[in-house]
């Protein structure tokens, strides 16, 4: 009996191995057989791969033939559906469900939680709020939530030792004294003493007036009103430095903040005399000053010399208008122009303090490298995950941030949560939705700019649109928006879908009320345009926080939406307590939106905008919307400067022809795009969508002009810029549409034909780029 633990018997014949060994040995010993065998192996080595390739091609042909036959019997969408791809298009029912889920009470609680403490960027409170937002978003059901950290140069008031202060001293006695922690970010520390001069708003035109009046500004301390250069107070300081001033004091004049109203906070929403707006006075306002052009990540080189160039060199201090009046009352001579008179009960004299008094200004600030944290929430697209729609706000503030950024951020969080609920139910958009919450926006859009610098190449090809929502509810009168023209129609359609929050007009949509309150007085007019339909006024993007860099540097379509006060009635540039410690939760609830119904309405509009951008097969972008703007800008230049151009032998024909070519290309593209059937032309629509993304990028052209050697952006977005957008404004033209680059060339003190011809060439190049994007110019040549 065989032991079961013994190995099984090997039944192979012992001669098998021997035979094999002998055969190999025989070949080795037989030169003829060895040669023959080597030839056989060589033939097999050569013919084997060829034979495999032929067989592969044959089977590949059969498979390809089957697929092509199927392609002729099925539409392209059927093929993609068989691949398991989600092709759900914009669904009004899903959008209505989303909008109905938005809750005013949730938005109110969001705002309450976001505004409990002062949270300046880079501080412990700032980081605590960032982590609170991140952790909260992780509960929403989004595909991912993460944060990005950068190390940037920030500025703070010194809170130990001497406070910043200003004193009026006569004969060794302090007639007036103010001290406090409100500050102008990036102002240097220092103490200066001298005469006081009133310089109105500190605009270049104001300094020209003072120069013509022979008012000496060297080593003087200037007192200037906030305003007229929204978000760009550094211009005032830059101008003061050029004229040799020793220091500057900024204050909010009641004429610019209270619209003639005498009853102020806490009885009304108007600014009281004791409130002091904080501000930014760094001369370059995009990104970290020492890492321009690359992200301020850990280990990145810091060019401190470059950073120093962007910093003001004179001390700057903000004060309230109550204290400003006391200083202005002490000025005794040189009457100011009538339009320099504001809302203070004072004579608005320009110079010479009474009794030989002097101003002593002491500023105690510090600059530190600090970490800032952006927070992101992502919902990945199913079909086009590499195309992004971004809804952005910021979480930092110089104050508690009630209106700015609290109203916008509280809406963003509600939208992120409710979109997350859709994701939990199995829904995903066609394109990726990114919720971005920036840090250090108040310091010059640092968080967003550093992120843009880190991801610029990716964003150029993938970012469809950026939607900004920061100071989102500054009033309860009407919806308003600033946007690139390519965003016009999606905003119009979204506002038509949402009911107006005014209970006295239940029959009206947000669009209807917007059109009634702010009709567009600048009806488009260009060859072939017969439409005279009145639409709401859509403002051009000027200087809107995070929108600026994306729009100007990258050519991304952007929008900034808001519910605002009645700007026709109240001639103020912003809500009254902007930048002050009064901007908190109670201010919003008491004076702006007690029931948060307006917040919910704006959230609904944003939900609809996002849905249309993220889920429609055809992008809601229309190149023809650029046409009227180009013609308007051309006509403005021609009509405003006709004789000036003729005197110098300058022709704009080259520019007119470029606009006409774009007109034809855009109309043809739009007609073709509109006719494509969504089911039968899936891939054609994708290709044309890509061209629509490339189109606004084409309008970014290098600025090669030396415009007064001021710190201008490296690039200018060409077709729609208002002149007031310029960092160095030389005129005020209201709603006139113009080519900023061309107007700046004409406005040069020593402007020549070469300057203007160069600007025209840059414009023509950009417009031609856009035309070629739409027409495949590299394949077809100039057509």
């Amino acid at each position: 009996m065989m032991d079961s633990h013994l190995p099984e018997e090997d039944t192979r014949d012992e001669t098998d191995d021997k035979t094999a060994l002998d055969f190999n040995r025989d070949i080795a010993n037989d030169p003829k057989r060895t040669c023959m065998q080597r030839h056989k192996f060589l033939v097999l080595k050569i013919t084997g791969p060829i034979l495999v390739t032929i067989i592969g091609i044959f089977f590949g042909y059969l498979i390809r033939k089957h697929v092509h036959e199927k392609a002729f019997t099925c539409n392209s969408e059927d093929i993609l559906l068989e691949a398991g791809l989600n092709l759900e298009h914009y669904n009004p029912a899903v959008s209505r469900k989303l909008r109905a889920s938005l809750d005013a009470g949730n938005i109110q609680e969001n705002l309450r939680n976001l505004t409990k403490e002062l949270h300046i960027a880079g501080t412990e409170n700032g980081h605590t709020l960032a982590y609170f937002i991140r952790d909260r978003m992780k509960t929403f059901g989004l595909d991912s939530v993460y944060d990005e950290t950068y190390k940037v140069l920030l500025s703070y008031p010194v809170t130990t030792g001497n406070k910043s202060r200003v004193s009026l001293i006569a004969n060794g006695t302090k007639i007036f004294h103010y001290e406090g922690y409100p500050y102008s970010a990036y102002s240097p520390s220092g103490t200066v003493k001298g005469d006081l001069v009133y310089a109105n708003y500190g605009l270049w035109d104001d300094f020209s007036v003072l120069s013509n009046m022979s008012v000496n500004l060297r080593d003087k301390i200037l007192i200037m009103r906030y305003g007229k250069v929204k978000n760009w107070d550094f211009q005032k300081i830059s101008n003061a430095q050029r004229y040799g001033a020793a220091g500057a004091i900024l204050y909010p004049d009641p004429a610019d903040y209270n619209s003639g109203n005498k009853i102020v906070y806490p009885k009304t929403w108007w600014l009281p005399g004791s409130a002091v707006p904080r501000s930014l006075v760094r001369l370059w306002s995009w990104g970290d000053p020492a890492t321009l052009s690359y992200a301020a990540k850990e280990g990145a080189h810091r060019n401190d010399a470059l950073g120093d160039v962007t910093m003001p060199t004179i001390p700057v201090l903000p004060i309230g208008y109550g204290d400003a009046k006391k200083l202005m009352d002490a000025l005794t001579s040189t009457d100011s122009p009538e339009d320099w008179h504001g809302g203070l009960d004072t004579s608005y004299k320009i110079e010479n303090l009474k009794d030989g008094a002097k101003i002593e200004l002491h500023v105690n600030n510090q600059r530190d490298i600090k970490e800032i944290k952006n927070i992101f929430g992502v919902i990945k697209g199913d079909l086009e995950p590499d195309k992004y729609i971004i809804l952005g706000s910021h979480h930092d503030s110089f104050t508690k941030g009630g209106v700015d950024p609290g109203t916008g951020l509280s809406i963003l969080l509600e939208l992120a949560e409710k979109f997350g609920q859709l994701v939990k139910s199995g829904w995903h958009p066609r394109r990726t939705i990114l919720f971005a919450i920036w840090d250090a926006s108040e310091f010059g859009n640092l968080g967003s700019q550093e992120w843009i610098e880190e991801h610029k190449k990716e964003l150029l090809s993938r970012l469809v649109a950026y939607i900004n929502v920061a100071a989102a509810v500054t009033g309860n009168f009407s919806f308003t928006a600033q946007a690139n023209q390519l965003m016009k129609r999606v905003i119009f359609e979204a506002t038509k879908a949402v009911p107006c929050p005014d209970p006295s007009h239940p029959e009206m949509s947000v669009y209807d009320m917007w059109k009634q309150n702010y009709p567009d007085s600048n009806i488009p007019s260009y060859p072939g345009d017969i439409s005279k339909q009145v639409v709401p006024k859509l403002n051009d993007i000027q200087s809107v926080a995070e929108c600026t860099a994306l729009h100007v540097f990258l050519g991304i379509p952007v929008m900034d939406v808001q519910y605002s006060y009645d700007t026709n009635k109240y001639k103020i540039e912003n809500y009254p307590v902007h930048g002050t410690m009064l901007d908190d939760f109670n201010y919003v609830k008491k004076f702006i939106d007690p029931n948060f119904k307006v917040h919910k309405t704006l959230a609904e509009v944003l939900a609809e905008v996002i849905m249309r951008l993220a889920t429609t097969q055809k992008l809601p972008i229309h190149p023809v919307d650029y046409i009227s703007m180009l013609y308007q800008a051309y006509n403005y230049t021609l009509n405003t400067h006709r004789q000036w151009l003729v005197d110098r032998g300058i022709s704009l024909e080259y520019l007119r022809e470029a606009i006409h070519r774009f007109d034809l290309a855009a109309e043809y593209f739009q007609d073709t795009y509109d006719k494509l059937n969504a089911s039968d032309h899936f891939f054609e629509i994708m290709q044309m969508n890509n061209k629509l993304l490339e189109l606004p990028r084409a309008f970014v052209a290098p600025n090669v002009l030396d415009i007064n050697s001021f710190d201008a952006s490296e690039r200018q977005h060409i077709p729609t810029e208002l002149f007031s957008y310029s960092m160095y404004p030389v005129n005020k033209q209201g709603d006139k549409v113009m080519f900023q680059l061309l107007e700046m060339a004409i406005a040069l003190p020593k402007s020549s034909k070469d300057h203007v011809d160069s600007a025209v060439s840059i414009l023509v190049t950009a417009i031609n780029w856009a035309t070629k994007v739409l027409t495949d110019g590299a394949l077809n040549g100039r057509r």
Side-chain angles (χ1 to χ4, degrees), residues 713-771:
S713 57
E714 295 173 351
R715 296 176 180 271
Q716 301 290 341
H717 189 262
I718 301 301
T720 64
E721 297 308 304
L722 297 178
F723 206 42
S724 58
Y725 170 73
S726 169
M727 293 172 59
Y728 191 77
V730 297
N731 208 344
K732 309 179 185 73
Q733 294 293 344
D735 290 336
K736 298 297 183 182
V737 178
M738 61 192 72
F739 290 121
Q740 176 177 279
L741 197 62
L742 187 52
E743 293 299 318
M744 293 171 79
I746 293 173
L748 283 171
K750 297 181 180 180
S751 181
S752 66
K753 186 176 186 298
D754 285 343
H755 284 121
V756 177
D757 284 346
S758 178
V760 169
S761 294
I762 293 172
L763 288 167
V764 169
T765 298
I767 296 168
N768 284 343
W769 282 343
T771 301

Side-chain angles (χ1 to χ4, degrees), residues 178-254:
Y178 160 82
E179 63 179 35
Y181 291 123
Y183 77 119
S184 295
Y186 296 106
S187 166
S189 294
T191 301
V192 293
K193 188 174 182 179
D195 295 323
L196 185 69
V197 173
Y198 171 55
N200 198 25
Y201 293 106
L203 305 179
W204 194 253
D205 287 348
D206 296 331
F207 281 93
S208 296
V209 169
L210 292 172
S211 179
N212 291 335
M213 297 172 71
S214 299
V215 176
N216 180 20
L217 301 178
R218 182 159 298 281
D219 297 327
K220 303 297 174 63
I221 297 170
L222 307 186
I223 184 167
M224 298 177 283
R225 298 158 66 173
Y226 279 120
K228 297 302 182 186
V229 281
K230 186 178 180 181
N231 298 336
W232 302 113
D233 291 318
F234 71 82
Q235 292 183 19
K236 304 172 186 287
I237 308 308
S238 177
N239 292 338
Q241 289 176 179
R242 292 189 183 193
Y243 273 84
I249 299 169
L250 300 174
Y251 82 96
D253 196 281

Side-chain angles (χ1 to χ4, degrees), residues 31 33 57 93 111 119 179 203 208 219 243 274 294 322 350 486 492 541 625 646 697 738 751:
R33 295 184 66 185
I57 291 173
L111 183 62
H119 47 275
E179 63 179 35
L203 305 179
S208 296
D219 297 327
Y243 273 84
S274 59
Y294 54 87
I350 289 178
L486 294 182
F492 285 176
I541 284 291
D625 290 337
V646 169
R697 277 70 159 173
M738 61 192 72
S751 181

Side-chain angles (χ1 to χ4, degrees), residues 2 44 166 545 569 656:
M2 187 176 289
L44 285 174
V166 59
K569 181 179 180 180
R656 189 196 65 79

